[in-house]
Amino acid sequence: MSPAPTAAPSESALGIHNQLHHLGIILDGNRRWAAAHGASLHSAYRRGAQKFGELLTWCEQAGVPHVTAWAMSADNLRRPAAHTAPLMDAVLEGLRPITAAGHWRLRLIGELDLLPPQHRTELLDLVATTARARGGREFTGGLVICDPAEAGRI
């Protein structure tokens, strides 16, 4: 994974000629990035969360009102706690400043009951803080938690 640019790519660089209304993204590759760069899993997840925050800023600048992120699958949550705890911690660390800014309304979809209770509670609290987000932008997902075979039903 190469480092993302620090400024939003121009519409012409992206080949966008019409207004983009919804961006969907699958967040993947953090464990591979950690292995390739000799980094800890937690630092890789934190870096991924930071980059996702940058992506939302770019979307805001470009006027993209809806972003959906698939951050994990049910399979992710079946991994050992040594893998899932850093992931959940990084998700929360990444979402706190996004939700605090108040520019995006956060919705979570999928099987939230698979989350550890303490993480689920904090995520739902973050959702509640964004109920009156300014600007009408919606960040759907944050977590799309389901088995890959179920993804088409969400």
Side-chain angles (χ1 to χ4, degrees), residues 20-99:
L20 184 63
H21 296 283
H22 188 172
L23 176 70
I25 185 168
I26 298 171
L27 306 174
D28 191 24
N30 292 303
R31 289 184 305 142
R32 288 185 298 274
W33 185 90
H37 291 86
S40 72
L41 191 56
H42 189 249
S43 66
Y45 286 138
R46 288 181 68 199
R47 180 171 167 82
Q50 290 171 334
K51 292 299 177 186
F52 183 72
E54 289 179 24
L55 174 73
L56 286 180
T57 299
W58 298 342
C59 288
E60 188 175 338
Q61 292 169 352
V64 178
H66 301 282
V67 175
T68 299
W70 179 313
M72 67 180 65
S73 69
D75 286 342
N76 294 124
L77 294 171
R78 291 185 189 108
R79 291 183 179 145
H83 288 258
T84 58
L87 173 58
M88 291 305 307
D89 291 344
V91 166
L92 289 166
E93 288 172 26
L95 287 176
R96 285 182 197 119
I98 292 166
T99 58

